[in-house]
């Protein structure tokens, strides 16, 4: 039997062309894998079937090959794993930690506008709890009637089920898990059968990921992922949340910034080595990246 090895992963979403920020994430994952003497996996996170496109998935593989970044093993594609996510969702339903939410976005916004906010409220207060407090009889009747709904994670209930939890970030140290940070997050809805939170947690375990590298913008999400690992009996990785690249005005680089896509940079004659060096230099000066 082959010895288990430490592993990281790079998991882009093919909803547009790769940009410079993606390159940083890929480099961070590969670098840590090499430091550990382990593997770096590649995963295509295409569960958003409305925005993700096959041509973008093909393009990102081409961009990664151009960069010369190496990944290990088979590429995981989330859209091929919907049944696995459905099974995980059913397990959570059976534990009583999910509840159906029949509220529309408009209804939630109107209800929140009417409610007084506590000066130190938690993220659980970001959703008014309309459906959390619904009686079981009404829930069952509305589900039986086929009403559109989402499945929310009850952030108050899960703390009673899991007890106290912790997680470790290599940059920020040991963290006490607080699932209420993001409130009663949605794990599935009719037009989106699985959320990022559930899919990424299940997939990290399936790929044997021992070290998760990702941007600081996802730091708070880790509280939810740690809870899901405990509920589903999945192994707990170590996290390393790294800084983000931004432009000279402090705006985070994103897919909508077409001028910073790898496609545009390649067309302008950018060489892979030069691009990688510019990203290293940007991180050394606080994450400010600009075309040299």
């Amino acid at each position: 039997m082959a010895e288990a090895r430490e592993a990281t992963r790079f998991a882009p979403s093919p909803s547009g062309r790769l940009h410079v920020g993606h390159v940083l994430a890929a480099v961070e994952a590969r670098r840590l894998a090499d430091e550990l003497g382990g593997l770096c996996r590649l995963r295509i996170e295409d569960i958003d079937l409305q925005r993700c496109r096959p041509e973008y998935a093909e393009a990102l593989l081409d961009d990664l090959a151009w960069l010369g970044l190496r990944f290990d093993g088979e590429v995981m594609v989330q859209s091929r794993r919907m049944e696995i996510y459905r099974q995980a969702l059913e397990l959570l339903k059976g534990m009583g930690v999910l509840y159906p939410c029949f509220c529309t976005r408009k209804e939630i916004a109107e209800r929140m506008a009417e409610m007084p906010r506590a000066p130190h409220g938690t993220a659980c207060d970001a959703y008014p709890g309309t459906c959390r407090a619904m009686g079981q009889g009404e829930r069952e009747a509305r589900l039986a009637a086929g009403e559109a709904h989402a499945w929310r994670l009850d952030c108050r209930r899960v703390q009673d089920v899991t007890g106290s939890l912790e997680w470790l970030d290599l940059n920020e140290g040991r963290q006490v898990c607080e699932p209420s940070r993001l409130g009663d997050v949605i794990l599935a809805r009719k037009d989106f059968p699985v959320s990022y939170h559930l899919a990424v947690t299940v997939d990290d375990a399936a790929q044997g990921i021992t070290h998760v590298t990702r941007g600081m913008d996802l730091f708070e999400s880790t509280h939810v992922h740690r809870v899901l690992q405990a509920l589903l009996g999945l192994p707990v990785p170590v996290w390393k949340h790294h800084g983000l690249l931004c432009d000279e005005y402090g705006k985070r680089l994103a897919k909508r910034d077409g001028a910073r896509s790898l496609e545009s940079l390649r067309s302008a004659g950018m060489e892979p080595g030069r691009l990688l060096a510019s990203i290293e230099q940007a991180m050394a000066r606080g994450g400010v990246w600009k075309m040299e």
Side-chain angles (χ1 to χ4, degrees), residues 66-109:
W66 173 77
L67 281 168
L69 291 177
R70 176 175 55 86
F71 297 94
D72 304 293
E74 226 176 290
V75 178
M76 177 177 281
V77 181
Q78 285 188 332
S79 58
R80 301 172 187 169
R81 295 173 51 79
M82 291 301 184
E83 176 58 22
I84 294 171
Y85 307 139
R86 188 195 66 78
Q87 292 173 12
L89 192 71
E90 291 302 316
L91 281 175
L92 296 172
K93 289 179 187 177
M95 295 177 193
V97 295
L98 303 185
Y99 63 87
C101 175
F102 303 93
C103 301
T104 65
R105 290 183 179 90
K106 182 180 178 181
E107 288 170 342
I108 293 171

Side-chain angles (χ1 to χ4, degrees), residues 154-165:
D154 190 332
C155 66
R156 299 175 182 180
R157 170 70 177 142
V158 294
Q159 289 180 300
D160 294 334
V161 174
T162 66
S164 179
L165 299 171

Side-chain angles (χ1 to χ4, degrees), residues 50-274:
Q50 294 182 345
R51 296 176 61 229
C52 295
R53 301 177 186 173
E55 58 266 32
Y56 287 146
E58 293 176 10
L60 74 83
L61 294 175
D62 183 56
D63 282 338
L64 292 173
W66 173 77
L67 281 168
L69 291 177
R70 176 175 55 86
F71 297 94
D72 304 293
E74 226 176 290
V75 178
M76 177 177 281
V77 181
Q78 285 188 332
S79 58
R80 301 172 187 169
R81 295 173 51 79
M82 291 301 184
E83 176 58 22
I84 294 171
Y85 307 139
R86 188 195 66 78
Q87 292 173 12
L89 192 71
E90 291 302 316
L91 281 175
L92 296 172
K93 289 179 187 177
M95 295 177 193
V97 295
L98 303 185
Y99 63 87
C101 175
F102 303 93
C103 301
T104 65
R105 290 183 179 90
K106 182 180 178 181
E107 288 170 342
I108 293 171
E110 290 175 348
R111 181 71 184 275
M112 292 305 298
E114 296 170 355
M115 294 177 63
R117 298 300 303 274
H120 302 293
T122 68
C124 277
D125 301 320
Y127 172 67
T130 307
C131 294
R132 187 196 310 126
M134 185 181 294
Q136 188 62 25
E138 183 179 353
R139 283 181 182 173
E140 292 177 358
R142 295 181 72 169
L143 288 172
E147 286 192 42
H149 62 280
W151 287 96
R152 289 186 181 272
L153 181 68
D154 190 332
C155 66
R156 299 175 182 180
R157 170 70 177 142
V158 294
Q159 289 180 300
D160 294 334
V161 174
T162 66
S164 179
L165 299 171
E166 293 185 339
W167 54 277
L168 176 64
D169 181 88
L170 293 179
N171 290 331
E172 303 295 323
R174 193 158 296 279
Q175 306 289 316
V176 175
C177 184
E178 299 178 56
S180 62
R181 291 284 191 95
L182 291 184
D184 289 2
V185 295
I186 289 176
L187 294 189
R189 61 176 186 257
K190 185 176 181 179
D191 61 337
F192 209 110
V194 62
S195 75
Y196 163 78
H197 299 297
L198 183 57
V200 73
T201 301
V202 170
D203 290 345
D204 281 343
Q207 287 190 295
I209 304 305
T210 60
H211 292 71
V212 173
T213 62
R214 59 189 181 199
M216 278 298 293
D217 56 325
L218 291 169
F219 190 88
E220 298 298 321
S221 297
T222 309
H223 292 275
V224 175
H225 302 174
R226 179 66 187 90
V227 161
L228 290 174
Q229 288 157 357
L231 292 171
L232 296 171
L234 301 177
V236 182
V238 171
W239 283 266
K240 184 178 181 181
H241 292 87
H242 56 77
L244 303 172
L245 289 175
C246 60
D247 62 20
E248 57 267 38
Y249 304 106
K251 181 182 176 183
R252 192 185 76 169
L253 301 187
K255 287 179 180 175
R256 59 182 173 273
D257 301 319
R260 298 174 181 86
S261 72
L262 266 64
E263 177 185 32
S264 66
L265 294 173
R266 291 173 64 177
S267 298
M270 174 69 80
E271 293 295 328
R274 182 181 162 209

